[in-house]
Amino acid sequence: MLTSTVCAAVSAGGLGIALLTAYRKRFLAATRIAAFALIPIGLVMTGIIDWVTDLVFKPTVWAGFGVLALSALLFLVSRAAERRGSGGHDLPPAGRPDTLTPGAPAIGAPAGRPEGRSKTKGRKGTGGEFDDIEAILKKHGI
């Protein structure tokens, strides 16, 4: 009841401003103001205002929003923990065995290169990463 009165007053005020604007020969602006002024009374007539006030002023509705927010927060925390790898190791990941079978490569090992081999592209007895640096220095004439 109170919301209907407030919306009617807002609409009446807006229509008054539209009339003053039309009196100043600004008809396009007056038409827009009148359109906006009719929205609150239209919402009251359709019953949307009563629905919104029931939504806003009921504690059970707010408790429901709180439960939904808590659910979303728990979901986001579980996703963040899963991405960090800090939790969720209760079950083995799908497609990976619990134990390694003999001859099977380790899960973290890159395919195609045995674990004991260095990155030196087939050269034996060299410094590994220092060879790359030496090649760059020779390329630049240093």
Side-chain angles (χ1 to χ4, degrees), residues 31-130:
T31 305
R32 285 191 190 124
I33 293 170
F36 281 115
L38 291 173
I39 290 174
I41 199 70
L43 291 174
V44 167
M45 294 173 113
T46 58
I48 293 175
I49 292 295
D50 292 331
W51 178 77
V52 170
T53 55
D54 286 343
L55 179 75
V56 171
F57 294 120
K58 282 188 177 177
T60 54
V61 173
W62 286 104
F65 282 128
V67 169
L68 288 174
L70 178 64
S71 172
L73 179 70
L74 289 174
F75 179 73
L76 292 173
V77 166
S78 68
R79 293 289 290 175
E82 181 182 29
R83 285 189 180 160
R84 287 184 145 214
S86 64
H89 294 295
D90 302 348
L91 300 173
R96 292 186 180 173
D98 283 341
T99 58
L100 291 175
T101 57
I107 292 173
R113 189 172 76 208
E115 291 180 32
R117 210 166 159 189
S118 68
K119 298 180 182 180
T120 56
K121 299 181 184 176
R123 293 180 271 175
K124 295 183 180 179
T126 58
E129 60 190 45
F130 293 114

